[in-house]
Amino acid sequence: MNIKILTPEYVVFEGEVDSVLLPGKNGEFHIMKNHAGIVSSLIGGNVKLYANSIDEAFAKNFTKEAGKDSVFAYAIKSGVVEFNHDKGIILCE
């Protein structure tokens, strides 16, 4: 599935991932391939991408989870996600 993470200043990430874990108002939620369409607000926390690797151009924006080579985390203050047809856009600050 294709995910884009955007801030007002720059593109944090754009590429293929296996799944993404997001900090929602009612708790974290996981979006996987073939997930139903969703629009949701996000709170402060980590957006976690699950992928074998990410492009070097975007890697500088992420931290790797200790002991988990395929989990890449990006801290946000708030945001919104729209996901449909295996494509997601995360607008955040």
Side-chain angles (χ1 to χ4, degrees):
M1 59 189 224
N2 187 277
I3 295 292
K4 290 182 186 177
I5 302 175
L6 307 170
T7 70
E9 291 83 28
Y10 61 98
V11 176
V12 175
F13 176 80
E14 182 175 358
E16 294 293 318
V17 300
D18 296 324
S19 64
V20 61
L21 184 68
L22 299 161
K25 286 188 175 189
N26 293 323
E28 290 184 324
F29 62 99
H30 210 135
I31 296 178
M32 302 172 85
K33 189 173 183 174
N34 298 320
H35 193 284
I38 185 172
V39 175
S40 179
S41 58
L42 303 173
I43 62 170
N46 285 321
V47 172
K48 295 180 183 178
L49 302 179
Y50 291 78
N52 290 332
S53 65
I54 60 175
D55 189 291
E56 284 295 319
F58 301 119
K60 66 180 183 255
N61 299 321
F62 292 87
T63 58
K64 279 191 174 181
E65 290 224 339
K68 298 180 181 178
D69 289 338
S70 61
V71 181
F72 302 88
Y74 178 73
I76 65 168
K77 294 179 184 173
S78 65
V80 64
V81 60
E82 178 184 9
F83 184 84
N84 203 11
H85 301 294
D86 285 340
K87 293 182 183 173
I89 297 176
I90 300 165
L91 305 173
C92 58
E93 57 179 345

